[in-house]
């Protein structure tokens, strides 16, 4: 799942995948709150998983966890 | 007569919503708009649950028609007012500044119509999935807290992305704006700025005068640096705020603190120096004080005439 998130995020924001870790915050990556929702919807389309998100989502790792919980 | 899916959904005569406006839209304005056949919306703003309960009761005393409550999700009292709206079983809830994930299920289960204000396609899709009955796509022309996209670009993209009805907001001030919004695919409109000068709107006289005098270029969006820009009339307050915003020596906290309470000063005291007179770009079009009923009749009547005449362009 982490790889999928990194791939989608890197593609969306023209980032280098190497710069993205589970600890990276969206703020550090230049992903604002509107972008975060866009990212989540893109990942949902890609994975078929539905997640319950709120404003507390701050890091890549938290997003990966949300998606994994959604799959279960 | 213009009749759309929004009229059916909300049980209203005209597909016109009066946007929730902090320090502006209380029971007096909301009740008048609902009585006139639109949907009046009380702003819960940053006040506590007791304030909202009182406003809901006053609105019910004024009208037996549907009305709404606007909940600012960033408010420290959001959980409190969310519960009050539920207990009071208000007919409609609109939400601003965030995702209503925490509350939406309970509201929908209680039979409340939930209409989140959305600034982007992704957020519209997300709230549709959460169970929203319709979305209000609000462009950055509008007064108050604003998003990045403008109404003209935002509305058709949201219309394409969701299956629920879309209401257009931001920069709509007359029947031309309403007709255009319907052509973009919206099923209704939400207006804020135009209702500021309604007789039933209880803001300070100075505020109304400033709206009537305002021209097209007289608003300014400040606060981009804080991540939640606000559009208001240019005055000493907004100019000073704008200067501080670009002054690296002023911290974000100082900037936030400087803006706190400024809308109240405008709405209650009419303080031309320190008040923040939130208004949309359409303020320049607003020329006259009228009753809420006159505003709604004029806007919908003009839109109807224009839409009927629109086939003149088609040969
Ligand atoms: C003075 C003022 C206060 C506002 N306060 C709120 C608010 O508390 N919550 C909200 O969701 N929208 C708020 N808005 C936005 C309005 O509900 C509405 O969507 C907007 O005014 C529509 O654009 P217009 O001003 O171009 O008609 C406010 C707008 C104004 C002018």
């Amino acid at each position: 799942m982490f790889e999928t998130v990194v791939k989608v995020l890197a593609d969306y924001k023209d980032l280098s995948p190497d710069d993205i870790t589970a600890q990276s915050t969206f703020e550090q990556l230049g992903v604002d709150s509107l972008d975060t929702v866009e990212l989540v919807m893109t990942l949902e389309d890609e994975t078929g998983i539905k997640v319950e998100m709120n404003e507390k989502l701050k890091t890549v790792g938290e997003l990966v966890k949300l998606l994994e919980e959604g799959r279960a | 007569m213009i009749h759309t899916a929004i009229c059916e959904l909300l049980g209203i005569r005209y597909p016109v919503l009066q946007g929730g406006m902090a320090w502006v839209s209380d029971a007096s304005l909301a009740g008048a708009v609902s009585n006139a056949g639109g949907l009046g919306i009380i702003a819960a703003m940053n006040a506590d649950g007791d304030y909202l309960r009182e406003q809901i009761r006053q609105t019910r005393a004024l009208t037996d028609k549907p009305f709404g409550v606007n909940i600012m999700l960033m408010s420290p009292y959001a959980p409190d007012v969310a519960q009050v709206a539920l207990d009071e079983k208000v007919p409609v809830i609109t939400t601003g500044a965030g995702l209503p994930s925490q509350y939406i299920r309970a509201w929908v289960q209680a039979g409340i119509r939930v209409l989140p204000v959305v600034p982007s396609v992704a957020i519209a899709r997300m709230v549709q999935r959460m169970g929203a009955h319709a979305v209000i796509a609000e462009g950055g022309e509008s007064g108050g807290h604003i998003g990045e996209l403008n109404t003209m670009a935002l509305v058709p993209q949201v219309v394409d992305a969701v299956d629920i009805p879309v209401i257009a907001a931001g920069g709509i001030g007359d029947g031309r704006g309403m007709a255009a919004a319907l052509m973009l695919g919206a099923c209704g409109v939400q207006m804020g700025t135009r209702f500021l000068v309604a007789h039933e709107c209880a803001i300070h006289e100075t505020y109304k005068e400033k709206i009537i005098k305002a021209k097209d270029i007289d608003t300014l969006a400040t606060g981009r640096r804080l991540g939640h820009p606000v559009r208001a009339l240019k005055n000493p307050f907004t100019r000073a705020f704008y200067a501080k915003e670009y002054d690296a020596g002023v911290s974000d906290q100082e900037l936030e603190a400087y803006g706190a309470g400024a809308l109240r000063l405008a709405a209650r005291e009419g303080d031309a120096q320190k008040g923040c007179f939130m208004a949309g770009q359409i303020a320049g079009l607003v020329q006259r004080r009228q009753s809420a009923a006159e505003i709604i009749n004029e806007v919908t009547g003009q839109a109807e005439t224009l839409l009927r005449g629109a086939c003149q362009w088609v040969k």
Side-chain angles (χ1 to χ4, degrees):
Chain A
M1 188 57 68
F2 178 72
E3 291 72 33
T4 312
V5 172
V6 170
K7 183 178 153 286
V8 170
L9 180 54
D11 194 42
Y12 176 39
K13 284 283 155 184
D14 291 323
L15 298 168
S16 158
D18 301 337
D19 294 339
I20 305 172
T21 70
Q23 283 74 43
S24 309
T25 67
F26 293 120
E27 196 180 346
Q28 287 163 351
L29 297 170
V31 177
D32 67 19
S33 59
L34 283 189
D35 295 337
T36 313
V37 182
E38 181 64 44
L39 176 67
V40 169
M41 294 314 282
T42 308
L43 281 161
E44 287 196 353
D45 290 345
E46 195 121 321
T47 60
I49 299 169
K50 305 268 181 264
V51 306
E52 184 87 348
M53 84 167 276
N54 59 40
E55 273 83 19
K56 292 184 194 93
L57 194 60
K58 295 270 182 277
T59 67
V60 171
E62 285 163 16
L63 175 56
V64 170
K65 189 158 160 272
L66 259 187
L67 286 160
E68 277 166 351
E69 282 165 7
R71 185 167 54 185
Chain B
M1 171 105 195
I2 294 175
H3 191 86
T4 71
I6 287 297
C7 303
E8 297 293 324
L9 178 70
L10 306 179
I12 54 178
R13 191 172 157 84
Y14 301 109
V16 175
L17 282 63
Q18 159 258 306
M21 292 181 276
W23 293 104
V24 174
S25 65
D26 56 9
S28 165
L29 180 59
V33 169
S34 286
N35 274 331
L39 188 84
I41 299 177
I42 306 164
M45 49 185 192
N46 283 332
D48 63 15
D50 291 338
Y51 169 84
L52 180 61
R53 193 176 293 109
E54 178 56 29
Q55 291 300 319
I56 292 171
R57 296 197 172 156
Q58 284 183 28
T59 306
R60 287 203 157 116
L62 285 170
T63 184
D64 54 5
K65 303 256 168 49
F67 65 93
V69 166
N70 170 260
I71 298 184
M72 291 290 275
L73 296 161
M74 295 304 206
S75 160
Y77 295 103
D80 188 16
V81 295
Q83 188 61 41
V84 168
L86 189 63
D87 294 343
E88 292 285 333
K89 278 205 191 308
V90 297
V92 179
I93 293 178
T94 67
T95 60
L99 289 169
S101 343
Q102 262 176 284
Y103 314 108
I104 190 163
R105 232 167 250 124
W107 291 336
V108 170
Q109 258 167 23
I112 297 172
R113 302 290 185 215
V114 183
L115 284 58
V117 175
V118 300
S120 76
V121 162
I123 293 183
R125 287 181 60 206
M126 183 160 277
V127 299
Q128 161 172 276
R129 220 192 54 219
M130 290 176 185
H133 296 92
V135 290
I136 302 167
E138 190 197 64
E141 297 94 322
S142 63
H145 290 268
I146 56 172
E148 198 57 49
L149 273 78
N150 286 342
T151 305
M152 187 79 158
L154 178 65
V155 172
Q157 297 188 68
V158 171
V159 166
D160 284 349
V162 296
D163 306 317
I164 50 181
V166 176
I167 294 158
I172 299 166
D174 64 9
R176 290 171 295 181
M178 180 170 182
L182 295 176
M183 288 297 95
L184 292 175
C187 301
V189 296
Q190 166 163 298
M191 297 189 294
T193 301
R194 173 96 192 240
F195 282 114
L196 287 172
V197 298
H199 296 320
E200 298 90 345
C201 178
I203 55 173
H204 198 278
E205 264 312 298
T206 302
Y207 204 145
K208 294 190 180 182
E209 247 156 61
K210 282 180 174 296
I211 297 295
I212 302 235
K213 281 202 195 126
K215 298 190 189 59
D216 55 348
I217 55 164
D218 288 343
T219 71
L220 179 69
T222 59
R224 287 231 148 77
R225 188 178 120 188
L226 299 172
H228 44 87
V230 167
R231 183 176 301 284
L233 295 177
K234 292 176 188 164
N235 76 339
F237 168 80
T238 44
R239 279 193 291 269
F241 194 97
Y242 200 65
K244 284 181 198 292
E245 190 173 351
Y246 289 95
D247 179 347
V250 179
S251 73
D252 286 0
Q253 286 86 336
E254 284 170 291
L255 198 58
E256 290 278 8
Y258 185 71
L263 175 59
R264 190 196 66 81
L265 280 180
R268 292 286 156 92
E269 329 265 327
D271 189 330
Q273 300 297 315
K274 296 197 220 88
C276 177
F277 295 82
M278 291 186 187
Q281 291 177 335
I282 206 69
L285 198 88
V286 180
Q287 312 273 0
R288 278 184 301 144
R289 293 156 205 257
Q290 289 167 299
S291 68
E294 284 166 339
I295 293 172
I296 291 174
N297 289 334
E298 195 177 289
V299 170
T300 55
Q302 191 189 10
E304 186 176 334
T305 307
L306 288 171
L307 290 170
R308 279 189 200 288
C311 37
Q312 69 180 298
W313 311 115
V314 185
K315 298 292 180 221

